[in-house]
Amino acid sequence: MEQETNDSTPEAVNIDVNVDVVVVGAGFSGLYMLHRLRQLGFSVRVLEAAGDVGGTWYWNRYPGARCDIPTTDYTYSFDPELEKAWVWSEKYATQPEILRYAQFVAERYDLRRDIDFDTRVVAARWDDAAARWHLRTDTGQHIACQFYVMASGCLSLPKTPDITGAERFKGEVYFTSRWPHDGVDFTGKRVAVIGTGSSGIQSIPHIARQASQLTVFQRTPNFSIPAGNGPVRPERRAPLEADREGYRHEARWSRAGVPNERTQIYGRYSTREVHRERFSAAWQSGELIPILSVFADQILFRDANAVVARMVHEKIREIVRDPQVAELLCPTDHAFGTKRPCLDTDYYATFNLPHVRLVDLRRHPIQSITETGIALADESMDFDAIVYATGFDAMTGAIVSVDIAGRDGLTLKQKWAHGPLTYLGLMTVGFPNLFTITGPGSPSVLSNMMVSIEQHVDWIADCLVRLRADGMAMIEPTQAAEAGWATHVNDCADITLYPTADSWYMGANVPGKPRGFLPYVGGVDAYRGACDEVAASDYLGFRRSGAQGTRCTDGVVRRLQPDVGMVLKMMADMKLPTFDSLSVNEARGLLQQLSSARPPGPSIGETVDGTLPGSAGPLQYRLYRPGSPGPHPVIVYFHGGGWVLGSHDSDDPLCRDLCHRSDALIVSVNYRHAPEARFPAAADDGLAAVRWVADHATELGGIPDALAVAGWSAGANVAAVTCQQVRDHGGPAIAGQLLLTPVTDCSMNTPSYVENAEGYVLTAPLMKWFWDHYADPADRPHPKASPLRAEDLSNLPPAFVVTCQFDPLRDEGIAYARALAAAGTPTRWITARGHTHTSLSMVDVVVSGERVRAEMADALRGFFKLAVPA
């Protein structure tokens, strides 16, 4: 059928309707899209499979169905007069009230006259020559349009139950996703509910009030918190009433589309008292955003997440009287928040009722549905009604269920066979003029949908206006932009715990669906910023064409790792002075101030401070000892800071991390600093420190002859120079050298100095400031300052060199690694994609650096395996 449709030319079809834009779906997305485009003078037709407006809230009529974002926020904000005209009755509105709101909006703006109800798109074909889409509906209409907008919703295609014998049951069968419009009366009936996702958790207490017997079949329990529904509390409404526009602006630039102050409190470093205080406040709020942000790190680290999960388990055990049932209701297979937590009213208490039973499908799986009920391996049960609360084929299901063929007949289903590819969640390569509202790759279901819907609609509308003004007929993303966005979306997900859960966020609830994280977890604010930047940069990553020719501004909108970008934005917002604009003492004070606010890093066995003899006097050191029994291999570490800043404890979190991961003893040395002690003071102190540590390895708790050096930035320069000096001046033996973003040359004329001159903390002017304080121009080419310029790089310890993509020093680090390898020194080199000169040192702040720090620790362990054969 698809091939036949592709072979027929669109020109041969009689067109019934010809408009600028067709929008599929008359939910909140479609309604606002229609309103905006009509305001802008576009001809629009909306096609809706339902009998009225409302989308999700038209179909989902199961008992207990409510929104899970407070109605102060789950509302249109585009028209202040609309907000005045409609007042919600409760904190969380029921489905009937939300549906009435959608109908009210449709009537207020006279939207129904441009909507075809009970109409489903059967197929859509792109005509490249005419630059138009041709749609065929199940009513027999053929519609042509220039732009095709899928506003079909993220949770609108029900998932078909994959249970043997489902068709055999002779009793009543209901799906929470397609509930009868006239309701259902379960009074006196034996009812089975299969599924404990959001719709199950909301409906089960209501069904239990009617049914004579209720059996809930649960495969995996979900986290849920009490909604505490009722009238909106005055203190919750007060900020909105005091400054409506300010409140809405804050929502648009918040992380989840709801104003919420971000915490900097880490669960893994807080006391039990802080844990309980913050959790209790979030639990009492009865809102998702507070409970999902009790701690800054709860979605990043399992130990912090476990704090929240454990306290939810405590609440469940307090409510549910039967300890065995309580344990079955405690989720243990996924981290808190990696599946969307539910909001409930008396859900857990329902299992205290004598006529309610919980069946654990992991222990007692369903063998089949029978004519009279459900058969387990060890029991058969009869029911009058079965309710399937089995969820949706989320995010992509409703889009690919329509037979959409783009350029050269490629269908969207074919293109997305291994997972969706989009640019900004808005468009996809090969399908010109096709837009998706809240599609995969956008915040959508991880946000307040109303805020995300308005942002998408406004962006699309502005784009169409710009195309019209520029005389352009087509727009399509480029391959590079789409691939770059896919990388960024995955980078955002990978620093969190989200991909660890078998959730519908991952497509894991639908058999055969490609596994991959579907929404954008970087936040509503970060996403809006990216979309605005794309538009402001002449539609970066898009190709536009028309009578005026073709215009393409190719590129990738987000290349930094997401947490690196967040840190840079936070620092920019702080409006800190640059180090090179300060005196040396002021710069040292600023570094100390910044260091005091960072997470401390992992726990280790102990730290011990001491002094050792340097080349011109005593030097401070800090020893980091692992918690495992010794003796341990020894690493002499040299801190960063451009030979000017820092101390033996200034890289404390990084040293703790390396100690913890490598199970090695770290000795961090505070070499002399410029300008008080200029070149070659740091280099000479490096040699003296390594010799002293080698001589005293045993008393420090180390293994003699298992010694490596490591350093970051200028400290990596000291480490590299030290390796050359011990080779040339009689030892000691060094097993390996770890060089993190090293300074290796004084030229400062590489491409990375141009590409990364500004904006990434270490700037080209700051590096000049460091060099000016450390060494005279005549001294800088000396190998003790520029190790890359050594005449001989052979017979040096094995090296692991780490460079960063957005670092002025990137190219000289790569050059040094290549020169070492060319000289026969065993060398491994990696460039950390999306990272800056400083980001890998930000332990527990830049989580994306964990993989690189793990590789660094692996390299250190590898050095010692070579030095101390098993």
Side-chain angles (χ1 to χ4, degrees):
M1 178 177 177
E2 184 175 292
Q3 188 62 47
E4 292 176 2
T5 308
N6 286 339
D7 286 346
S8 63
T9 59
E11 290 79 9
V13 175
N14 292 322
I15 304 300
D16 299 305
V17 178
N18 203 327
V19 291
D20 295 328
V21 187
V22 165
V23 178
V24 175
F28 286 125
S29 300
L31 292 177
Y32 183 43
M33 188 84 255
L34 171 58
H35 176 64
R36 280 283 280 132
L37 292 177
R38 280 204 325 205
Q39 284 183 317
L40 296 168
F42 290 95
S43 58
V44 191
R45 203 72 201 157
V46 176
L47 307 178
E48 171 54 60
D52 198 1
V53 300
T56 293
W57 299 108
Y58 176 89
W59 296 108
N60 284 275
R61 299 166 181 251
Y62 61 85
R66 293 179 185 268
C67 57
D68 62 3
I69 295 292
T71 50
T72 49
D73 302 279
Y74 193 77
T75 187
Y76 284 127
S77 67
F78 66 84
D79 184 355
E81 295 305 313
L82 172 62
E83 292 197 71
K84 293 178 184 177
W86 181 275
V87 177
W88 296 98
S89 66
E90 292 183 274
K91 174 184 176 183
Y92 296 110
T94 60
Q95 176 272 334
E97 185 174 18
I98 299 172
L99 180 58
R100 287 197 300 273
Y101 176 63
Q103 294 166 339
F104 177 80
V105 170
E107 292 161 7
R108 183 179 181 88
Y109 301 104
D110 189 23
L111 300 179
R112 282 193 176 88
R113 62 183 168 89
D114 288 320
I115 304 174
D116 292 343
F117 295 108
D118 299 310
T119 302
R120 190 181 299 273
V121 177
V122 175
R125 295 290 178 269
W126 170 251
D127 180 357
D128 209 38
R132 296 187 78 74
W133 282 95
H134 291 263
L135 281 58
R136 182 162 51 84
T137 72
D138 61 354
T139 62
Q141 278 191 319
H142 286 83
I143 303 173
C145 58
Q146 185 178 2
F147 301 103
Y148 177 29
V149 180
M150 290 293 288
S152 47
C154 300
L155 297 170
S156 56
L157 185 69
K159 176 194 166 193
T160 303
D162 51 345
I163 302 175
T164 302
E167 72 287 349
R168 296 171 55 196
F169 185 61
K170 299 298 185 182
E172 302 169 20
V173 176
Y174 303 101
F175 295 85
T176 53
S177 55
R178 291 293 183 266
W179 203 258
H181 288 196
D182 51 358
V184 179
D185 184 1
F186 290 112
T187 301
K189 294 180 180 177
R190 300 164 299 172
V191 182
V193 175
I194 300 176
T196 53
S198 180
S199 61
I201 285 174
Q202 288 185 327
S203 63
I204 284 167
H206 290 264
I207 295 172
R209 293 190 192 108
Q210 294 181 340
S212 62
Q213 173 189 315
L214 173 62
T215 305
V216 177
F217 293 85
Q218 171 187 272
R219 180 172 296 156
T220 53
N222 276 333
F223 288 99
S224 187
I225 67 169
N229 201 34
V232 179
R233 296 194 306 272
E235 64 271 20
R236 186 68 174 79
R237 195 189 298 275
L240 178 63
E241 293 178 340
D243 181 7
R244 184 175 298 274
E245 186 51 41
Y247 185 90
R248 296 302 181 208
H249 177 82
E250 187 179 346
R252 295 181 191 112
W253 288 99
S254 66
R255 185 165 183 78
V258 176
N260 186 58
E261 185 176 348
R262 291 193 188 185
T263 180
Q264 297 301 317
I265 297 174
Y266 275 54
R268 63 183 355 184
Y269 299 127
S270 301
T271 64
R272 289 181 177 272
E273 290 74 22
V274 171
H275 291 168
R276 196 153 300 280
E277 177 185 350
R278 292 190 58 78
F279 174 81
S280 296
W283 182 269
Q284 291 300 321
S285 76
E287 295 186 24
L288 287 182
I289 307 305
I291 202 71
L292 289 170
S293 53
V294 177
F295 304 113
D297 58 343
Q298 71 185 60
I299 199 61
L300 304 177
F301 306 124
R302 286 192 178 275
D303 54 351
N305 191 280
V307 172
V308 180
R310 185 169 56 249
M311 289 190 285
V312 176
H313 291 168
E314 290 174 3
K315 292 291 187 181
I316 295 171
R317 295 177 185 123
E318 288 175 9
I319 298 168
V320 181
R321 299 190 195 107
D322 186 324
Q324 291 183 327
V325 175
E327 291 308 310
L328 290 178
L329 290 168
C330 288
T332 57
D333 71 320
H334 65 281
F336 180 79
T338 54
K339 295 181 179 181
R340 190 179 181 100
C342 303
L343 291 173
D344 72 85
T345 301
D346 297 329
Y347 172 66
Y348 293 117
T350 297
F351 292 95
N352 292 328
L353 300 174
H355 67 291
V356 177
R357 177 186 175 188
L358 180 65
V359 174
D360 180 10
L361 292 178
R362 291 169 299 184
R363 297 181 183 177
H364 308 282
I366 294 175
Q367 284 195 331
S368 69
I369 306 294
T370 67
E371 291 186 357
T372 59
I374 296 175
L376 308 178
D378 53 357
E379 182 182 2
S380 293
M381 290 172 274
D382 291 340
F383 296 104
D384 301 305
I386 297 177
V387 176
Y388 292 98
T390 47
F392 297 88
D393 183 351
M395 300 289 293
T396 58
I399 301 174
V400 298
S401 67
V402 178
D403 182 16
I404 303 173
R407 188 177 288 112
D408 301 322
L410 177 71
T411 67
L412 192 59
K413 189 173 185 178
Q414 289 168 339
K415 180 181 176 180
W416 287 4
H418 302 292
L421 287 170
T422 73
Y423 185 35
L424 303 172
L426 283 162
M427 300 194 77
T428 187
V429 173
F431 296 80
N433 293 8
L434 170 65
F435 295 89
T436 54
I437 297 182
T438 63
S442 73
S444 56
V445 294
L446 294 180
S447 68
N448 175 3
M449 287 293 291
M450 296 298 276
V451 169
S452 289
I453 284 169
E454 288 189 332
Q455 184 271 334
H456 261 198
V457 168
D458 289 339
W459 194 95
I460 294 169
D462 292 343
C463 177
L464 299 194
V465 169
R466 178 73 174 272
L467 291 170
R468 183 173 61 186
D470 291 344
M472 298 293 183
M474 287 190 293
I475 184 169
E476 181 183 356
T478 66
Q479 292 279 2
E482 182 175 88
W485 188 251
T487 297
H488 178 61
V489 169
N490 289 330
D491 284 344
C492 290
D494 288 345
I495 63 176
T496 73
L497 297 172
Y498 279 109
T500 65
D502 289 329
S503 66
W504 57 260
Y505 293 150
M506 296 290 295
N509 66 319
V510 178
K513 187 170 182 175
R515 187 182 176 94
F517 196 70
L518 297 172
Y520 175 73
V521 75
V524 168
D525 49 353
Y527 177 80
R528 183 182 294 272
C531 290
D532 289 354
E533 185 177 325
V534 164
S537 303
D538 198 25
Y539 285 88
L540 175 68
F542 284 103
R543 178 177 291 104
R544 292 162 290 158
S545 59
Q548 304 300 316
T550 298
R551 183 184 299 174
C552 180
T553 309
D554 204 359
V556 176
V557 67
R558 288 290 178 265
R559 297 187 298 156
L560 286 165
Q561 288 287 343
D563 44 4
V564 176
M566 289 174 63
V567 168
L568 292 178
K569 183 181 183 303
M570 179 182 68
M571 294 180 70
D573 291 344
M574 292 169 68
K575 294 182 170 42
L576 298 170
T578 60
F579 286 115
D580 51 301
S581 69
L582 303 173
S583 69
V584 168
N585 285 335
E586 289 171 337
R588 289 170 179 167
L590 176 59
L591 177 63
Q592 188 172 7
Q593 179 184 348
L594 293 173
S595 297
S596 66
R598 66 192 174 182
S603 297
I604 56 173
E606 66 172 342
T607 61
V608 179
D609 290 339
T611 59
L612 57 82
S615 62
L619 302 174
Q620 292 175 294
Y621 71 82
R622 172 164 289 181
L623 184 149
Y624 299 83
R625 195 185 309 280
S628 60
H632 300 92
V634 182
I635 301 162
V636 180
Y637 176 85
F638 300 105
H639 65 80
W643 311 282
V644 175
L645 310 175
S647 66
H648 60 299
D649 61 354
S650 60
D651 294 351
D652 199 69
L654 180 60
C655 289
R656 288 174 173 273
D657 192 76
L658 286 175
C659 175
H660 173 73
R661 292 177 186 274
S662 67
D663 198 38
L665 189 150
I666 310 286
V667 182
S668 175
V669 179
N670 187 24
Y671 50 87
R672 287 173 292 159
H673 296 132
E676 296 87 351
R678 290 168 63 83
F679 173 82
D684 292 344
D685 283 346
L687 177 61
V690 165
R691 285 178 167 170
W692 184 87
V693 171
D695 290 341
H696 296 80
T698 300
E699 63 189 79
L700 291 172
I703 301 172
D705 302 321
L707 176 69
V709 296
W712 168 47
S713 189
N717 170 277
V718 174
V721 169
T722 298
C723 288
Q724 293 185 20
Q725 292 195 90
V726 298
R727 177 199 61 183
D728 298 339
H729 300 292
I734 295 179
Q737 50 182 321
L738 168 64
L739 308 178
L740 173 58
T741 60
V743 183
T744 67
D745 190 62
C746 61
S747 65
M748 303 203 322
N749 61 4
T750 61
S752 61
Y753 260 97
V754 177
E755 297 168 15
N756 306 316
E758 296 285 351
Y760 303 115
V761 183
L762 179 64
T763 64
L766 177 56
M767 200 63 218
K768 182 179 184 302
W769 187 80
F770 285 140
W771 272 114
D772 288 345
H773 283 300
Y774 180 55
D776 294 333
D779 290 329
R780 296 176 193 178
H782 194 285
K784 287 174 71 171
S786 296
L788 179 60
R789 301 199 179 203
E791 292 182 3
D792 182 9
L793 293 176
S794 64
N795 299 313
L796 290 171
F800 184 65
V801 182
V802 180
T803 58
C804 291
Q805 182 180 1
F806 297 97
D807 181 3
L809 306 184
R810 180 194 66 208
D811 293 347
E812 65 192 74
I814 294 171
Y816 192 62
R818 288 173 174 166
L820 288 173
T825 296
T827 304
R828 185 178 169 220
W829 150 64
I830 62 171
T831 289
R833 178 181 58 79
H835 281 278
T836 64
H837 182 78
T838 58
S839 60
L840 292 178
S841 68
M842 297 180 179
V843 176
D844 289 350
V845 175
V846 176
V847 181
S848 60
E850 283 199 350
R851 289 189 292 266
V852 180
R853 292 192 290 271
E855 288 193 67
M856 291 160 54
D858 286 343
L860 291 169
R861 287 194 298 268
F863 295 153
F864 301 127
K865 287 177 183 176
L866 293 174
V868 186

